[in-house]
Amino acid sequence: MDTTVIADQKSKDEFENYKKQSKWKDYHWQLKHSIKDINTFEKLTGIKFKNREKDLLEKVTAKFPLSITPYYLSLIDVENYQYDPIFLQSFPRGEEMTKTSCDMADPLDEDKDSPVPNITHRYPDRVLFLVSNTCSMYCRHCTRKRRVGDVDSIPTREEIKVGLEYIKNNSQIRDVLLSGGDPLMLSDDYLDWILSELKKIPHVEVIRIGTRVPAVLPFRITRELVDMLKKHHPIWLNTHFNHPREITKDSREALRKLADAGIPLGNQSVLLARVNDCPRIMKRLVHKLVQNRVRPYYLYQCDLSEGLSHFRTPVGKGMEIIESLIGHTSGFAVPHYVIDAPGGGGKIPIMPNYVISWSTHKVILRNYEGVITTYREPDHYKTIFCDNDCESCNLQLNLNGDSDEYKAIGIEKLLSDYDKTISLVPDENDRMERREE
Ligand SMILES: *Cc1c(COP(=O)(O)O)cnc(C)c1O
């Protein structure tokens, strides 16, 4: 970027005074003082943009709004801001206006897979429930960028009830993911109400919360909040740290409170060019996460949402990172690297190949060091042909009266013995159409 830093002592002093305020750790104060325009950003950081550049930035924020908490802003290294991962994730760039041929408004078809407003039902046994349309910080790499700043609103109880009703009426849903926006932008009472309503539904076994609050507004994790959350166990929480610099004393404190409340913590990172596209940075990040009782869960390949092209890396970069982690560090510190399939196919795990070859009685594998090894298959394995009659099977699956017929789908169906399907054929296959004629 073509900018010049002018050390503007007066405004930076103003920011230093901010930080000394007794209210700094009050999350209401943080939200009220969120930075939402370029001028305030310049004033508080002492960074000055040239007029031409500022015009472009204003255009970008008119399309994709800006919002940064004072806390997150305070983590920016003003002297080296152009390469700063905090700056890059929170501050707009002209490139966001670039529309490339692969960009899509809703690449994951979340809107198409939505049976009722605010619900995305993509997988058989779990749903995404968007309970908030607002965030404390607007990530520049947001996959739901199309919606950012639409209306910073919280769905009404009536609107939430429509989603609850859908979950109630679909007994296969055992896992509900609260997302948004950020669900922790709701008041404790409102969230308490949603969680209580979900807990009343007998088939809902677990509830998950997806939130970036521990990274961008750690003061939101209050004693009162965690005391409320732990009433509704099992609650799982996934947060979103992308760079080790985001793990500060304040965010560690937030994570400690959540973990002490017995909430299993996971982390979903996005692979972002110039932010964390480096094996050493990612290794540092996952190590810091597990030290704070957070298990790295997913590493996402950057989605094809509009305005994100400058953040995308080749898939090979993710492979390289995963290659540098598997075997080299603790197994529980390695996230699943996934591509969320454009068109709504869901998350697809990808990883380097470890199986090199195969015969009827040997599997040839390689490990992280490049050692090639042989696993000898058993000489005597009595093949079990499964007829899907679990009631009369000798294996001890305790059905507890729940004898719903088990139906395999997809590749699992091809592997099963009881389903006679031998191939899955795409629609509009010419060869199949000729057969029908
Ligand atoms: C990610 C996602 C889920 C949850 O997937 P898990 O792999 O179980 O974490 C559920 N629904 C939608 C639409 C999702 O995008």
Side-chain angles (χ1 to χ4, degrees):
M1 228 184 274
D2 170 31
T3 46
T4 40
V5 179
I6 301 167
D8 179 345
Q9 214 47 49
K10 207 168 107 227
S11 53
K12 276 211 236 158
D13 287 349
E14 198 175 318
F15 195 63
E16 288 309 311
N17 285 335
Y18 253 21
K19 282 198 265 181
K20 284 188 207 120
Q21 285 202 29
S22 59
K23 294 210 153 175
W24 179 256
K25 294 196 175 193
D26 172 348
Y27 75 89
H28 293 293
W29 183 92
Q30 285 277 335
L31 288 172
K32 209 168 139 227
H33 289 82
S34 282
I35 292 85
K36 292 184 183 281
D37 63 88
I38 314 281
N39 285 333
T40 312
F41 181 91
E42 287 188 324
K43 207 168 120 206
L44 296 179
T45 56
I47 299 170
K48 288 264 181 290
F49 301 97
K50 291 186 174 152
N51 283 344
R52 195 165 41 83
E53 198 173 10
K54 214 161 142 183
D55 288 346
L56 179 56
L57 290 170
E58 303 282 3
K59 269 194 207 123
V60 177
T61 52
K63 184 167 186 197
F64 301 120
L66 156 77
S67 187
I68 316 176
T69 57
Y71 163 80
Y72 201 66
L73 186 87
S74 77
L75 306 183
I76 296 175
D77 172 6
V78 173
E79 306 305 322
N80 290 304
Y81 72 95
Q82 278 146 314
Y83 304 99
D84 183 87
I86 313 292
F87 174 81
L88 293 172
Q89 289 181 74
S90 59
F91 194 79
R93 266 193 275 175
E95 287 126 302
E96 291 177 42
M97 301 303 271
T98 313
K99 209 171 162 179
T100 69
S101 59
C102 52
D103 285 1
M104 301 184 258
D106 175 21
L108 310 179
D109 276 2
E110 289 186 323
D111 299 339
K112 286 186 199 139
D113 278 341
S114 175
V116 297
N118 302 315
I119 294 262
T120 299
H121 193 174
R122 166 160 309 149
Y123 297 105
D125 67 342
R126 56 208 187 278
V127 289
L128 191 64
F129 192 3
L130 306 181
V131 296
S132 154
N133 297 321
T134 178
C135 283
S136 52
M137 191 275 273
Y138 297 162
C139 301
R140 303 320 296 180
H141 56 276
C142 182
T143 186
R144 302 195 185 110
K145 218 171 160 82
R146 67 187 184 281
R147 296 224 190 131
V148 174
D150 264 6
V151 240
D152 262 3
S153 65
I154 303 293
T156 62
R157 281 187 193 235
E158 291 316 309
E159 286 166 330
I160 295 287
K161 277 181 187 164
V162 175
L164 290 167
E165 200 57 32
Y166 179 81
I167 297 168
K168 218 176 281 176
N169 293 334
N170 287 275
S171 61
Q172 75 274 34
I173 299 169
R174 41 162 288 286
D175 176 5
V176 177
L177 278 86
L178 302 183
S179 184
D182 197 314
L184 295 187
M185 290 295 278
L186 306 185
S187 69
D188 291 1
D189 285 347
Y190 200 43
L191 191 56
D192 191 16
W193 172 73
I194 296 174
L195 294 171
S196 308
E197 290 301 307
L198 285 170
K199 291 292 287 188
K200 285 186 199 155
I201 304 173
H203 51 265
V204 173
E205 297 171 3
V206 288
I207 301 169
R208 292 195 254 175
I209 295 174
T211 175
R212 206 174 179 197
V213 150
V216 297
L217 184 62
F219 315 124
R220 172 67 186 96
I221 310 299
T222 59
R223 173 88 286 124
E224 296 74 41
L225 175 70
V226 297
D227 283 347
M228 181 277 283
L229 291 176
K230 71 184 186 194
K231 288 192 312 191
H232 301 286
H233 272 318
I235 299 278
W236 292 58
L237 187 144
N238 274 324
T239 183
H240 176 175
F241 286 91
N242 288 325
H243 193 282
R245 286 248 327 270
E246 295 173 324
I247 303 185
T248 63
K249 195 165 148 286
D250 293 317
S251 60
R252 284 203 304 269
E253 175 63 12
L255 296 171
R256 186 192 63 73
K257 282 187 198 146
L258 290 164
D260 283 353
I263 301 170
L265 301 175
N267 185 68
Q268 315 199 130
S269 294
V270 186
L271 182 54
L272 298 170
R274 294 172 58 198
V275 172
N276 59 10
D277 51 342
C278 157
R280 287 190 73 182
I281 289 177
M282 287 308 293
K283 194 179 280 178
R284 181 71 52 86
L285 173 66
V286 297
H287 285 168
K288 279 194 156 192
L289 287 168
V290 298
Q291 273 176 44
N292 290 285
R293 293 181 279 174
V294 182
R295 194 188 191 298
Y297 180 49
Y298 283 137
L299 171 63
Y300 288 98
Q301 177 66 13
C302 189
D303 285 331
L304 298 176
S305 306
E306 196 185 324
L308 304 189
S309 56
H310 57 296
F311 277 126
R312 282 180 213 132
T313 67
V315 172
K317 182 51 77 176
M319 286 292 215
E320 191 187 329
I321 288 168
I322 296 299
E323 184 74 67
S324 79
L325 295 175
I326 294 180
H328 298 271
T329 193
S330 320
F332 64 85
V334 183
H336 295 286
Y337 176 42
V338 293
I339 300 183
D340 218 333
K347 299 174 185 72
I348 299 173
I350 38 182
M351 66 153 125
N353 285 329
Y354 289 91
V355 176
I356 290 182
S357 196
W358 224 318
S359 77
T360 55
H361 55 287
K362 284 181 189 176
V363 184
I364 310 300
L365 306 145
R366 63 99 175 173
N367 79 345
Y368 71 102
E369 302 163 305
V371 169
I372 295 180
T373 189
T374 312
Y375 177 83
R376 186 79 162 68
E377 298 264 42
D379 290 333
H380 306 285
Y381 175 73
K382 191 167 172 296
T383 303
I384 301 172
F385 287 97
C386 170
D387 56 5
N388 205 20
D389 181 6
C390 299
E391 303 274 12
S392 56
C393 176
N394 289 332
L395 292 171
Q396 306 215 339
L397 167 69
N398 193 345
L399 286 169
N400 283 328
D402 160 33
S403 58
D404 271 358
E405 199 184 330
Y406 184 80
K407 216 166 140 250
I409 62 164
I411 310 300
E412 186 193 12
K413 176 157 129 170
L414 296 184
L415 287 171
S416 78
D417 303 314
Y418 52 86
D419 190 296
K420 298 301 166 221
T421 310
I422 54 166
S423 60
L424 300 178
V425 183
D427 277 353
E428 294 185 46
N429 177 293
D430 281 349
R431 188 166 54 84
M432 291 301 159
E433 280 173 13
R434 275 197 299 277
R435 284 187 189 182
E436 277 167 27
E437 275 162 18

